[in-house]
Amino acid sequence: MRTLWITPLLVALALPAQAQEAVTVEVTSTPTRATVEVLGSGEVGRTPLRGLRVPVGEHDFIFTRRGFGRVVMHVAVTEDGQQIEATLERAATLDVRADHLPARGGRIRVDGQAVGTVPARVEIAPGRRLVEVEAEGFITFGQWVEAAPGGSARVDVRLEPRPPDTGSILVITDVSNAEVFVDGLSRGHTPRVVEGLSPGAHRVDVVAESGARAEATVEVRVEAREIVSVELESQPPPPGSAAITSEPLGATVLVDGEPRGVTPLELADLTPGAHMLDLSLEGFVSEQRVVTIESGVRAELAVPLARGEPRPGRIVVRASREDAFVVVDGLSRGRAPISLEHVRPGRHAVRLVAEGTEPFESECVITYGETCTIDATLAPAPVALRVEATLDGEPLSHARLFVDGTEVGPLPWAGALSLGAHQLEARAEGLEPASRTLEVGPETSGTLVALSLERPPAPPLVESIEEAPEVDPVEESPPAPAPRSFVPRSGADALASGDGTASFFLGWPYLFGAELAVGLPGPLDVAFALRTFGRLTELEVGARGGARVLEWLALGAALRLAAGLGPDQIDAFSLKLDGRITALPIPELAVSAWIGLDLSTDGYPFTEDGRAIAGTNIPRQELARGRAGGALEWRFVRDWSIDLRLEGIFASSAGRRRIYGDVLELGGPDTELYGELAAVHHW
């Protein structure tokens, strides 16, 4: 059997969501006994690790061991698990010494990471490293060093005083280690930050190791950093990429002074060479790193961020009432609007009160200098009143009160209602209910509302026919017609005996038609329909049986037989059987659904799209098809309703029904999706 196009969607909706699972990986290193840290999860042990459980996905593994360089590996862990192996090179030794007294105590950074103060002897990862020393009032010192595994390097630091009212420039190039000249003086190699420049125009010359040269003029501003980017190669090499993560995630990343996104971040368009990275996150200390990009190579960088110190913030409170008083942490701070400066970090309870309104309560959380703004709308306070029920002038104790259709408790009742109109109703078993519309305002505070219940009228006693009062037949008005029970045309329950419907409809593939249905004794009705789409005119006779199992729910079944004729020796016969269910969420609206089986035999000697004769001696097409559908019917006046039907074929024994193809002679086979829109008259 061939399934409908909607089946994959139903299957996808039925599939349960698969939870992410942890798998076992093996982690080793050369040499062993290296400490392993998984970024975001902390330290997990020392190598070798034979049964480490980690979630499936991408992770950063950090390997450290005393005397060896730090290694960061970005690994995509699969569902099958894997072996993760790192090779640690022996660390190099960096000796940083002061060339003069002001450099002592300066902060040392290697590739942007703080490692100590001058003088210091520290271990660094082998390779080419940028050593920077900075101190208050001095221009940052920078020097590149090349350290071999197990080797050593020495840097002698001399700090130059920072001139007042100066700016700086960042010089970056598309090649590494190009020499930078500012106003004719050598200021180091790229990437290079040149500080202590006086405001105004400065000439920048950049010379590559290959001899390529570029120049630029830059306007330096006070306490600002200008960016100078030059190209020294006519055919730049393919770009490299970088994967940048931080702990915690969400840090803003600037690459060479330009914002590029937040961590975790994939950068796929970086030019080869060294780049300056700035990472910042609210509440954490900003970090700088230098990353060297190689053509066609993916660099990986994991940056831990240290939490910053909490800072005072600001609370701004505005209110819909000018006489509202603001209370913060239990202390009155005056009338709104107000602005409280230098509010200490932490949680602060904010409460607004005004005469005749309900108190407004909120909370502000200050952590790192935020401004918390509160716009308060104070609602009028509810009005207190009392409601009681009486019978023959005496208080009634077993009645219950309903406000706007909702039960609120027994009577007498004391409580509060919001301003506006409310419907009050008292109900008691065996008595006629009493109701009243009350306009609640400030003037009704403390009001006593009495609802008087009455006994139902007793039926008249007539001892004999002669004693019954005579009624003038001329003055007697005809009784109003009883509301007719709504039986939908496409529903599951049958028409009552003697009731009927007449329908006129448009649709697909039958373009128009009419139907007459009449109720029979018992839960059964019959229907006769005539429909056509030119090629085929069909007469259908059907019977439906069903009943209401609940006031709003009906179950039933229907059987229909149809015979049709058309030009060019076209004929068709079909039998349709389906089971139905109907729900009536409200008395005038019906929602129905059904599933059924169609058996058909068609004499149709044409192709499926109806444009050519398929051949001679074409056998009849005989099909068995599964069908499902639904209908929405609304009775908008007492005797008229609108019925919308939609149904489709979800299974077929031998393809599409050829006689339903190309109904409008526009090409195309049977759509296997049908519909009708009908106007229905009920009597």
Side-chain angles (χ1 to χ4, degrees):
M1 300 289 285
R2 183 169 54 85
T3 58
L4 222 184
W5 58 270
I6 201 170
T7 303
L9 177 61
L10 298 177
V11 173
L13 292 175
L15 289 176
Q18 296 182 353
Q20 187 181 29
E21 297 183 355
V23 297
T24 301
V25 298
E26 182 179 355
V27 184
T28 61
S29 68
T30 304
T32 60
R33 305 298 296 167
T35 300
V36 181
E37 178 185 355
V38 179
L39 188 63
S41 301
E43 185 176 323
V44 296
R46 294 185 177 182
T47 59
L49 297 173
R50 304 297 183 188
L52 179 63
R53 299 282 292 178
V54 296
V56 173
E58 296 189 353
H59 302 276
D60 287 310
F61 290 77
I62 304 172
F63 298 79
T64 55
R65 180 176 173 177
R66 188 176 183 85
F68 291 83
R70 183 170 179 263
V71 175
V72 179
M73 294 183 64
H74 185 82
V75 181
V77 177
T78 65
E79 295 179 352
D80 298 328
Q82 59 213 84
Q83 181 175 354
I84 301 168
E85 183 175 4
T87 300
L88 284 71
E89 294 183 329
R90 187 167 294 279
T93 302
L94 175 65
D95 190 9
V96 183
R97 298 189 176 276
D99 191 44
H100 66 316
L101 187 61
R104 290 186 173 272
R107 296 179 294 277
I108 305 171
R109 302 175 75 92
V110 177
D111 290 343
Q113 186 171 6
V115 297
T117 57
V118 181
R121 187 179 180 86
V122 296
E123 289 184 345
I124 62 173
R128 194 165 185 270
R129 303 288 174 236
L130 175 62
V131 180
E132 295 176 290
V133 176
E134 59 183 12
E136 295 292 332
F138 292 87
I139 299 174
T140 300
F141 170 90
Q143 180 177 327
W144 288 92
V145 298
E146 190 77 30
S152 62
R154 175 171 173 169
V155 175
D156 294 317
V157 180
R158 172 172 289 275
L159 299 179
E160 299 292 336
R162 184 193 304 273
D165 298 331
T166 62
S168 64
I169 60 174
L170 168 64
V171 184
I172 56 177
T173 63
D174 56 348
V175 297
S176 301
N177 204 32
E179 189 171 8
V180 178
F181 296 85
V182 179
D183 298 330
L185 298 178
S186 177
R187 302 303 295 267
H189 295 78
T190 58
R192 184 64 177 169
V193 176
V194 182
E195 299 183 279
L197 298 177
S198 60
H202 293 266
R203 177 176 174 176
V204 179
D205 296 271
V206 184
V207 182
E209 294 177 342
S210 63
R213 176 185 295 270
E215 64 179 43
T217 300
V218 60
E219 189 75 20
V220 175
R221 297 172 296 166
V222 175
E223 296 183 357
R225 175 175 293 179
E226 311 297 332
I227 299 174
V228 178
S229 178
V230 297
E231 296 182 359
L232 297 176
E233 289 187 356
S234 58
Q235 295 295 330
S241 62
I244 305 171
T245 61
S246 65
E247 176 59 34
L249 299 176
T252 300
V253 180
L254 276 67
V255 179
D256 299 330
E258 295 292 332
R260 298 298 298 270
V262 298
T263 57
L265 181 63
E266 289 282 347
L267 300 174
D269 56 349
L270 296 178
T271 57
H275 295 269
M276 182 74 72
L277 304 183
D278 294 87
L279 287 86
S280 60
L281 180 63
E282 181 69 21
F284 293 83
V285 179
S286 299
E287 293 285 343
Q288 286 186 329
R289 295 286 190 275
V290 174
V291 59
T292 300
I293 300 299
E294 297 180 11
S295 177
V297 178
R298 181 175 184 266
E300 299 176 353
L301 182 65
V303 181
L305 300 177
R307 184 170 291 278
E309 292 295 329
R311 303 192 305 274
R314 178 168 171 251
I315 296 178
V316 176
V317 183
R318 298 187 288 262
S320 59
R321 292 272 298 264
E322 295 182 354
D323 59 342
F325 282 90
V326 180
V327 180
V328 179
D329 297 332
L331 298 177
S332 177
R333 307 305 295 265
R335 293 185 177 182
I338 64 169
S339 177
L340 305 179
E341 308 291 336
H342 305 294
V343 180
R344 70 180 188 279
R347 294 182 177 273
H348 299 274
V350 180
R351 179 182 174 91
L352 286 86
V353 293
E355 184 178 358
T357 66
E358 290 186 301
F360 178 91
E361 296 183 350
S362 185
E363 183 181 66
C364 280
V365 179
I366 304 296
T367 308
Y368 303 110
E370 300 92 342
T371 295
C372 176
T373 302
I374 295 177
D375 290 298
T377 300
L378 284 78
V383 176
L385 50 82
R386 178 180 173 85
V387 183
E388 68 176 20
T390 62
L391 178 64
D392 298 334
E394 297 295 328
L396 190 63
S397 61
H398 66 281
R400 304 191 68 81
L401 176 64
F402 292 77
V403 177
D404 299 328
T406 302
E407 183 177 353
V408 297
L411 290 167
W413 177 83
L417 296 178
S418 60
L419 300 183
H422 294 277
Q423 183 71 25
L424 308 182
E425 184 177 13
R427 303 178 189 174
E429 186 176 357
L431 299 176
E432 293 288 334
S435 62
R436 173 182 173 183
T437 299
L438 179 66
E439 187 70 34
V440 177
E443 68 281 358
T444 60
S445 179
T447 300
L448 174 62
V449 180
L451 300 175
S452 178
L453 285 80
E454 298 180 356
R455 294 182 176 86
L461 298 177
V462 181
E463 295 183 358
S464 64
I465 298 178
E466 291 76 8
E467 297 177 358
E470 294 184 359
V471 179
D472 187 353
V474 176
E475 298 179 358
E476 183 177 344
S477 59
R484 186 187 308 279
S485 176
F486 179 35
V487 177
R489 168 179 176 256
S490 302
D493 51 340
L495 292 167
S497 178
D499 288 353
T501 61
S503 308
F504 307 92
F505 54 84
L506 304 175
W508 181 269
Y510 296 96
L511 301 181
F512 51 88
E515 181 184 79
L516 177 67
V518 179
L520 301 178
L524 186 68
D525 61 22
V526 295
F528 305 90
L530 182 67
R531 55 176 61 89
T532 183
F533 56 89
R535 177 187 306 155
L536 183 68
T537 300
E538 192 173 69
L539 176 64
E540 181 183 85
V541 179
R544 174 176 60 174
R548 301 277 176 95
V549 295
L550 296 172
E551 183 179 353
W552 54 271
L553 183 66
L555 299 176
L559 174 67
R560 290 174 288 168
L561 299 173
L565 295 175
D568 300 322
Q569 300 179 350
I570 296 174
D571 65 79
F573 302 92
S574 63
L575 179 146
K576 300 180 180 181
L577 176 65
D578 54 51
R580 302 185 182 184
I581 182 171
T582 298
L584 289 89
I586 59 176
E588 308 303 326
L589 182 67
V591 180
S592 303
W594 57 84
I595 186 168
L597 173 67
D598 291 0
L599 302 176
S600 63
T601 173
D602 300 335
Y604 186 64
F606 295 91
T607 57
E608 189 171 359
D609 62 7
R611 289 183 174 270
I613 296 178
T616 59
N617 299 322
I618 300 301
R620 301 182 67 85
Q621 184 183 24
E622 297 182 350
L623 295 178
R625 304 198 297 176
R627 171 174 46 84
L632 181 67
E633 187 167 352
W634 171 47
R635 184 168 70 175
F636 56 92
V637 294
R638 181 177 182 273
D639 295 331
W640 284 92
S641 65
I642 295 177
D643 181 27
L644 175 63
R645 293 183 182 180
L646 289 174
E647 62 181 5
I649 304 301
F650 64 84
S652 176
S653 63
R656 301 174 185 261
R657 194 171 178 184
R658 294 202 315 270
I659 200 170
Y660 283 172
D662 193 28
V663 171
L664 299 179
E665 297 185 358
L666 298 177
D670 174 19
T671 62
E672 294 192 325
L673 183 64
Y674 315 131
E676 283 184 5
L677 177 62
V680 186
H681 176 60
H682 302 255
W683 73 83

